[in-house]
Amino acid sequence: MKDKKTVFKFFSLFEYEEEEKYLEKQHKNGWKVTGFTLPGFYKFEKCQPEEVCYRIDFTDERGPQSQEYRQLFADNGWEFLWAVNGFTIFRKPSSSAQEGGKEIFTDKESKINMLLKIQKRRLFPLLVIFLCVVLPNLAKGLNGEFGSGSFESGMTIFFLIMFLLYSYIFVKSFIKIKELKKKLE
């Protein structure tokens, strides 16, 4: 029987709760996460099935490097796992989570502030790329300004796919933001 596995699982920017639940379920089924690589490859190793809480924080890139930041979580029983692209992953056994709390945020306002940080630091740059690169080039392609060769048609198809992908990300993200804010209020 294999003791290690790698699983591809993609979560959008605002699906951090779903990601936490996924990691908890894997751990409960005897697979503890040991690493992560973009764009969504999780590394697991076999372990004793256990109830474990996973939590995700979003901070600037320097936060997880700070000893004070890590110590704050360690003092509350959270084990630092990794930080990637502004997201930091922590875990602790559910038994100790009962004593010290299952959440890394002590109030709703802190969690809403995290959502706003994600929106500002991740969605805004995507919106700029979408408006300045994807839309103008898609319009050029659809108007035939790229030409009529196979490369030019490929460029139009590429920008059409990018348009659909970005549209999906924006719609899904804004719906998720609205759901999370409603849940927190």
Side-chain angles (χ1 to χ4, degrees), residues 4 7 24 28 52 76 87 116 120 153 164 171 181:
K4 295 182 181 197
V7 177
E24 288 169 1
K28 188 176 182 176
V52 174
N76 289 293
F87 291 91
L116 295 174
K120 187 170 102 179
S153 296
L164 295 172
V171 168
K181 281 184 178 178

Side-chain angles (χ1 to χ4, degrees), residues 76-87:
N76 289 293
W78 293 99
E79 173 190 3
F80 171 83
L81 297 178
W82 69 79
V84 65
N85 204 21
F87 291 91

Side-chain angles (χ1 to χ4, degrees), residues 2-81:
K2 282 178 74 172
D3 289 339
K4 295 182 181 197
K5 69 178 182 177
T6 300
V7 177
F8 176 78
K9 184 87 170 154
F10 179 78
F11 295 96
S12 69
L13 293 172
F14 295 96
E15 292 179 316
Y16 61 89
E17 289 178 332
E18 289 85 345
E19 185 175 3
E20 291 169 349
K21 284 180 178 65
Y22 170 74
L23 295 173
E24 288 169 1
K25 183 179 178 188
Q26 290 294 318
H27 208 118
K28 188 176 182 176
N29 291 331
W31 291 100
K32 109 177 145 176
V33 68
T34 58
F36 174 82
T37 4
L38 287 172
F41 292 96
Y42 293 85
K43 293 179 178 140
F44 295 94
E45 67 181 35
K46 201 79 172 132
C47 68
Q48 284 292 89
E50 176 182 21
E51 297 276 341
V52 174
C53 292
Y54 283 84
R55 292 297 177 261
I56 299 173
D57 187 22
F58 181 79
T59 186
D60 62 38
E61 301 296 328
R62 293 178 308 273
Q65 311 311 323
S66 159
Q67 187 58 36
E68 292 148 13
Y69 175 82
R70 288 190 187 190
Q71 192 61 50
L72 174 70
F73 287 94
D75 289 346
N76 289 293
W78 293 99
E79 173 190 3
F80 171 83
L81 297 178

